[in-house]
Amino acid sequence: MSNVAVVTGASSGFGAEFARRFAQAGHDLVLVARRRDRMEQLARELTAAHGVTVTVIDADLAEADGAQRVADRIADAGLKPAALVNSAGFGTAERFADEDPARIADEIRVNVLALTLLSRLLMPSLLAAPEGFLINISSTAGHQPVPTMAVYGATKAYVLSLTEAIWHEVRGSGLRVLTLCPGPTETEFFEAAGTDRFRVGKVVGVRESVDEAWRALHRPSPPPTLTVGLGNRVNALGARLAPRRLTLAVTARLTARGGRANIENS
Ligand SMILES: NC(=O)c1ccc[n+]([C@@H]2O[C@H](COP(=O)([O-])OP(=O)(O)OC[C@H]3O[C@@H](n4cnc5c(N)ncnc54)[C@H](OP(=O)(O)O)[C@@H]3O)[C@@H](O)[C@H]2O)c1
């Protein structure tokens, strides 16, 4: 089976939405996350709507061998995926000195280690597909350091750097690679983070963000990175051009005000 799309973080948010998009396009799916009931419900919905075959793998990607175990289960099922969406991830938001070391380790294992290893382990299969896709979800937080979200911002900067390099390495193959950098998006992300600090600026719908990503991926020559929304693209450019001190000061102010401003606007 060569049209299979593997989606991590498929139990909610971006992952579930990308799963819907790939199913609409006729791809069979492998859904990966911890909440099996959520994925089974989505599997039933997508099989009924699009006639696709959906395999559900419940896995904790915070475990050191999480990615390897997922890859093994895919291989054991005889599947050779054409697409991979690494959407599993979460954020912590505290001053660095107050962060829980165990939670930091989980954050790095899910956001960085699992994403990297799964990309690497499935790469031969993605490259062999006539039309392959690799979509790694970074964030606008990856464009600059983020005081009070130092670890989260660093994990997302890593995803951006890794995926852009892969994009360049595979140019000329059939594999389309995209780093997606969404701004605040209405998913369960804020709930999982347990804070409104991530609600910096306008919060957009997940469907419109995935629509934008889908269009970018299907351009004749997809860009290495898509930052969702014009305002976020302007901010990303500003962060790259401004002196680092200024970027840090502005980012710190925005994240400190994030929760409060959005509560006032709601
Ligand atoms: N929403 C935003 O504002 C925003 C903005 C920029 C970037 N992002 C990024 O977008 C990606 C998706 O987040 P989302 O917004 O869709 O949030 P979400 O609705 O909370 O989804 C996160 C997904 O990650 C999975 N996940 C978390 N920890 C996991 C673990 N240990 N093992 C396996 N799966 C795990 C969750 O599944 P289970 O809980 O079932 O395991 C869930 O399916 C993340 O990488 C996030 O950093 C989000």
Side-chain angles (χ1 to χ4, degrees), residues 53-88:
T53 301
V54 184
T55 304
V56 169
I57 298 180
D58 53 327
D60 185 351
L61 295 173
E63 289 175 358
D65 61 351
Q68 183 66 59
R69 284 161 67 170
V70 169
D72 289 347
R73 284 166 75 176
I74 290 169
D76 290 348
L79 302 174
K80 295 194 175 3
L84 171 63
V85 183
N86 277 302
S87 185

Side-chain angles (χ1 to χ4, degrees), residues 9 11-12 14 34-35 60-61 87 138 152 156 185 187-188:
S11 59
S12 75
F14 279 98
R34 290 167 301 183
R35 286 172 292 175
D60 185 351
L61 295 173
S87 185
S138 172
Y152 180 69
K156 293 302 175 180
T185 311
T187 67
E188 294 173 20

Side-chain angles (χ1 to χ4, degrees), residues 135-152:
I135 304 162
N136 284 340
I137 307 205
S138 172
S139 167
T140 49
H143 287 303
Q144 69 289 300
V146 192
T148 70
M149 299 173 198
V151 176
Y152 180 69

